[in-house]
Amino acid sequence: MRKIWMMFAQMIKQIGRDYMLLMLCIAPVLAGLVFRFGVPVLEHFLCDYFSANEILAPYYYIFDWLLAVLPGLLFAFVGGLVALGEIDDKIAGYMEVTPAGNTGYLISRIGIPSLFSMVAGVAVIAVFGLSSMKWTDILVLCAGSSLTGTITALLVIAISTNKVEGMAIGKLAGFLSIGMFVPVVFASPIQYVAGVLPTFWMGKYMLEGHAGNLLAFAAVYLIWLVFLMKKYRKKICL
């Protein structure tokens, strides 16, 4: 485990030298500031303009969902970009013969950032949250978001051939998070088309509170994980 933490510390140094990656890491805090102080001002303006009691307030929980998603998406994305650069430099392939191995390497680049993203998500909602979500729901939401982040990172690593492609695929992979909001927008059975996305089942759980939705999330997540891990292992063996 010590070797894994050493590799993680090495990645932190790389992030510190890259302002773009650094900005991605602090983006959830910037978004939290905008939501916490900007959205209530906008709500007050809209209510005055349309002479309404509330317009955005019933949907404050959606802003909190977005805040919970951002750390999981961005932290793992950063780890994926670092790993992609090391794959391009033929460094990642040599990890198989190190004590940590490829599994330890992925833990240092994706697993640990995802764990930190869960903590960051809880902290961001605690400080900047607009709604009154239960703590159990916050924990489940942030845990699900951090796991979804690993899928984003693996998509970047397994499919991209360089950092430019990695950035593009990372942005497209952000659409994985849209699945969470499908149950909010669509009430008809057509919503289940988004069931191939793990985040869809997170949204269903947050709205309905049924444990079965968490089981569905786990099943869909594992399918994505197994598929992308196979792609990753095939890539580094080339």
Side-chain angles (χ1 to χ4, degrees), residues 40-56:
V41 171
L42 180 60
E43 167 73 342
H44 181 72
F45 170 79
L46 291 174
C47 288
D48 282 349
Y49 187 82
F50 293 104
S51 300
N53 292 325
E54 56 181 20
I55 295 177
L56 296 177

Side-chain angles (χ1 to χ4, degrees), residues 3 9 16 20 27 29 41 44 60 67 76 87 93 105 109 116 121-122 126 136 171 175 182 194 216-217 221 237:
K3 297 290 185 182
M20 183 195 72
V29 174
V41 171
H44 181 72
Y60 276 179
L67 282 180
I87 291 172
Y105 174 72
R109 295 298 183 263
F116 278 118
V122 173
T136 51
K171 292 174 182 177
F175 284 102
V182 170
F217 169 85
Y221 170 78
C237 288

Side-chain angles (χ1 to χ4, degrees), residues 132-207:
S132 300
M133 283 195 295
K134 295 185 293 185
W135 276 105
T136 51
D137 287 345
I138 291 174
L139 291 173
V140 170
L141 180 60
C142 292
S145 299
S146 68
L147 289 174
T148 304
T150 64
I151 299 299
T152 300
L154 285 171
L155 277 169
V156 170
I157 295 172
I159 298 177
S160 310
T161 57
N162 54 60
K163 279 193 174 183
V164 175
E165 287 185 10
M167 289 292 295
I169 290 174
K171 292 174 182 177
L172 291 174
F175 284 102
L176 285 172
S177 303
I178 291 178
M180 185 178 295
F181 306 100
V182 170
V184 178
V185 179
F186 300 99
S188 63
I190 196 174
Q191 67 178 258
Y192 288 97
V193 172
V196 296
L197 304 176
T199 51
F200 169 79
W201 300 104
M202 285 300 303
K204 291 285 285 183
Y205 171 79
M206 295 301 295
L207 291 176

Side-chain angles (χ1 to χ4, degrees), residues 207-222:
L207 291 176
E208 301 172 359
H210 295 161
N213 291 321
L214 292 182
L215 293 176
F217 169 85
V220 176
Y221 170 78
L222 287 174

